Amino acid sequence: MSIIVCSYGEIHLKGANRGFFLRTLMQNIRRSLPQNVRAEVKDTRILVTNFTESQPVVAALKKVFGLTHIRVCDSINYTTPTDILNYLTTVKVSGTFKVVVNRADKNFPVKSPIFAPQCGDVILKHNSSAKVDVQNPETIVQIEIRQNGIAFISTGCERGLGGLPVGVSGRAVCLISGGIDSPVAAFLAMKRGLVVDFVHFSTPPYTSELALQKVVSLCEKVNSYGNTGNLYVVPFTEIGSQIQKKCHDQYTITLMRRFMVALAEKIGVANGADCIFTGENLAQVASQTIQGITSNNFVAKRLPILRPLICFDKNEIIDVAKQIGTYQISILPYEDCCTVFVPTHPTIKPNLNTVLEEEKKLDFDTLVENCYNNVICKRLQNIFAESSNKPQK
Ligand code: ATP
Ligand code: MG
């Protein structure tokens, strides 16, 4: 019989919170799997059973934060160590390998360091191209000896995403543009256990329905890693136009960012968020100098702004975007609201006093309030269809 054995990482360290972390992990795993597939915690492993094909189940498990390793195993019954050795005559190995034995059942009569070479000898005898290499093997044959006469045997191991189960750390709102960076920022927030709601600013008619669809696709892609968040679409045309009309154009982008943060904070507070995430990256573009980035810090009064990509290289961000499947969507050529209003020469080091002077030309609070009243919550298609998460404005 085939069984999938999953290991989890940091949850081991969580002391009194371990139960909560593990329950959340199990909930996320069960939601990601087809209904008939069973998952249960056994000792320090998660055992997944009752599937016909392992490949789609492994693919789903590889998208669950908190799992570190995923192994498809043969589950065999044994009475004596010889039964396991007999089974190993059927295992196919080519190239270099080593055998790792874990003896969870301490009553098993042969100790692991003695049993592993015995297993290796059997494999060598039945696989002419196999060679032992304990330093750098191509294949690890893992033999886990469990209680009650059961052993799990695997010849391959897939890496899980690691991190923490989505939901154990609280909630975030992430400012999401249609670009490469912000979906990666949302993914990293989830990696540390946050449920992420997305906030997107659109400026119709300057930005199209297709541009918005692209953002929906990005959010759904990010959500497929176990997120249950919603997308809040903020109609930003009036604010953008007012800034353009009344303020010095060098400050357009800085002022737009301040309004974005104010609105994201308002949406976040209404939806129980603990923090704001952005995809800002130091010195990537003119508006993301340290002065440009920090000039919106003081707008948010109740939620901290976290910027997980701040010190990444663009190529490192792109690598993650490709790995999680957002890159191909992000590079679709649709306009972003910032590109519509951004001047050719934004100020590189905005002085906060000047920014505040410029901002005084606008009725900040009224513009925010009016804009907030028109925010739309867009339902996203989640793999977690049974989510109990109720959207609020
Ligand atoms: P990205 O790939 O995230 O678009 P970028 O290099 O294009 O990155 P900017 O356009 O300067 O970055 O935006 C910086 C950050 O501001 C984004 O990562 C995102 O968090 C936020 N942001 C920018 N435009 C929008 C928007 N239209 N809606 C929501 N958030 C936005
Ligand atoms: Mg952008």
Side-chain angles (χ1 to χ4, degrees), residues 14-262:
K14 298 300 173 195
N17 275 330
R18 193 178 304 143
F20 165 61
F21 277 58
L22 208 46
R23 272 196 306 282
T24 310
L25 176 63
M26 291 311 291
Q27 195 180 42
N28 293 352
I29 288 175
R30 290 191 181 111
R31 281 172 175 169
S32 76
L33 295 175
Q35 253 188 352
N36 54 323
V37 178
R38 275 204 295 274
E40 57 174 335
V41 186
K42 260 272 155 55
D43 307 322
T44 55
R45 300 273 190 266
I46 293 159
L47 307 184
V48 181
T49 51
N50 209 35
F51 49 85
T52 39
E53 241 193 295
S54 64
Q55 195 261 333
V57 178
V58 171
L61 292 167
K62 281 174 77 176
K63 295 182 89 173
V64 178
F65 283 109
L67 297 179
T68 52
H69 296 94
I70 299 152
R71 285 184 294 123
V72 181
C73 304
D74 289 336
S75 171
I76 64 158
N77 296 309
Y78 71 90
T79 317
T80 65
T82 311
D83 295 337
I84 297 177
L85 294 175
N86 283 342
Y87 182 82
L88 288 175
T89 61
T90 64
V91 168
K92 298 272 164 286
V93 176
S94 60
T96 58
F97 77 99
K98 87 169 180 185
V99 176
V100 174
V101 174
N102 295 318
R103 205 169 50 116
D105 180 0
K106 298 297 176 211
N107 293 322
F108 189 76
V110 190
K111 291 206 167 133
S112 307
I114 296 168
F115 195 51
Q118 292 177 3
C119 297
D121 282 346
V122 173
I123 292 168
L124 279 173
K125 211 163 146 196
H126 290 84
N127 294 275
S128 55
S129 68
K131 228 174 99 189
V132 174
D133 180 352
V134 288
Q135 301 297 336
N136 198 14
E138 288 165 275
T139 304
I140 294 181
V141 180
Q142 185 127 9
I143 302 171
E144 233 178 285
I145 295 159
R146 317 283 300 180
Q147 261 87 20
N148 305 326
I150 292 172
F152 300 149
I153 299 172
S154 63
T155 53
C157 182
E158 300 256 16
R159 283 201 88 98
L161 280 178
L164 297 170
V166 173
V168 296
S169 297
R171 214 169 174 98
V173 272
C174 182
L175 276 78
I176 189 144
S177 67
I180 295 166
D181 305 335
S182 39
V184 174
F187 178 82
L188 293 177
M190 288 160 55
K191 183 175 180 184
R192 298 312 299 168
L194 288 159
V195 174
V196 176
D197 285 315
F198 306 93
V199 178
H200 175 70
F201 297 85
S202 74
T203 48
Y206 307 112
T207 53
S208 65
E209 188 55 34
L210 282 173
L212 182 56
Q213 256 321 305
K214 171 183 168 181
V215 174
V216 169
S217 301
L218 282 171
C219 296
E220 287 177 346
K221 183 58 86 178
V222 176
N223 268 9
S224 74
Y225 291 85
N227 192 34
T228 51
N230 299 300
L231 167 61
Y232 296 91
V233 180
V234 185
F236 205 54
T237 316
E238 177 59 19
I239 291 180
S241 311
Q242 289 283 327
I243 295 172
Q244 212 178 31
K245 202 156 80 190
K246 296 188 178 158
C247 305
H248 196 296
D249 72 353
Q250 278 200 322
Y251 288 89
T252 309
I253 195 87
T254 311
L255 292 168
M256 278 173 69
R257 289 280 189 271
R258 287 173 61 84
F259 277 98
M260 285 183 180
V261 167

